[in-house]
Amino acid sequence: MYGSIRNKPDTCGINRKATRRRYALTKLAPAKAWKERHIDDWTTLTFTEYLKALHLEIFGIDYVPMGGRWAMEQGIIGNLIGTAGKNAKPRMASNESVKAFIDLTFNAYTPTSAYPGTSFGFMFTYRKLEWSRIQAQELTKAKRQASVEDTPDLEILNGWW
């Protein structure tokens, strides 16, 4: 009945049938299906699947997390993008900036015979300069957007002169 939450009328009563239909229209793809999800809807699991696919595509070998511990890498990602649930973590960075960091560092990495692949944990630990640059770009973009939104409407001054 309703295509999105914005179109929902302001009523106190809840129409369960309409609510189920609305959520059925906006149901997200599974968390592992990173190609089917919008970047804003990515979770730590989605990022993990993206890391696996990108690593296989770039280096041709399976992805192995830093120290062999998935929980550690997912914890780093969770600290950046925030988590929900009982022990929720606040968002520190946007999903776009985390993905940009992954893309930048994975494409810049040169494999060696000793280290034929890389991991997010390694890159986040030893490539902080790239992370700082991405954060600075995001901050500049946010400031530019805020200044555009704060520009006063000068049309009201047309009748003054």
Side-chain angles (χ1 to χ4, degrees):
M1 184 169 175
Y2 305 111
S4 69
I5 293 174
R6 290 186 188 115
N7 296 334
K8 182 182 172 190
D10 294 326
T11 59
C12 293
I14 298 174
N15 184 343
R16 298 279 182 211
K17 200 171 193 179
T19 304
R20 276 193 300 254
R21 241 184 274 134
R22 183 182 70 234
Y23 289 124
L25 291 174
T26 59
K27 185 175 180 181
L28 292 174
K32 290 186 175 186
W34 61 271
K35 289 181 182 178
E36 299 170 18
R37 278 188 168 211
H38 188 271
I39 186 73
D40 294 335
D41 298 324
W42 282 21
T43 63
T44 54
L45 183 58
T46 313
F47 273 106
T48 303
E49 291 300 316
Y50 178 69
L51 286 166
K52 288 179 186 179
L54 186 66
H55 196 274
L56 189 61
E57 179 186 320
I58 293 174
F59 305 114
I61 56 175
D62 289 335
Y63 181 79
V64 178
M66 184 177 179
R69 298 186 315 233
W70 288 105
M72 183 185 75
E73 288 207 350
Q74 289 180 337
I76 294 169
I77 294 170
N79 286 337
L80 293 173
I81 66 168
T83 59
K86 188 174 108 177
N87 298 322
K89 299 176 186 177
R91 177 177 292 277
M92 305 300 258
S94 69
N95 289 2
E96 291 87 1
S97 59
V98 174
K99 184 179 181 297
F101 175 75
I102 291 169
D103 293 340
L104 176 72
T105 55
F106 271 50
N107 287 316
Y109 181 76
T110 304
T112 63
S113 58
Y115 301 103
T118 188
S119 69
F120 181 80
F122 176 82
M123 291 299 186
F124 192 73
T125 302
Y126 297 106
R127 304 289 297 266
K128 291 284 188 180
L129 183 59
E130 282 82 357
W131 177 246
S132 297
R133 287 182 186 148
I134 289 171
Q135 283 185 312
Q137 288 172 355
E138 186 175 286
L139 185 61
T140 303
K141 183 180 170 183
K143 284 182 180 179
R144 194 175 309 128
Q145 181 68 25
S147 68
V148 167
E149 291 173 359
D150 291 341
T151 304
D153 184 18
L154 300 178
E155 290 294 321
I156 59 172
L157 301 178
N158 280 343
W160 286 22
W161 285 279

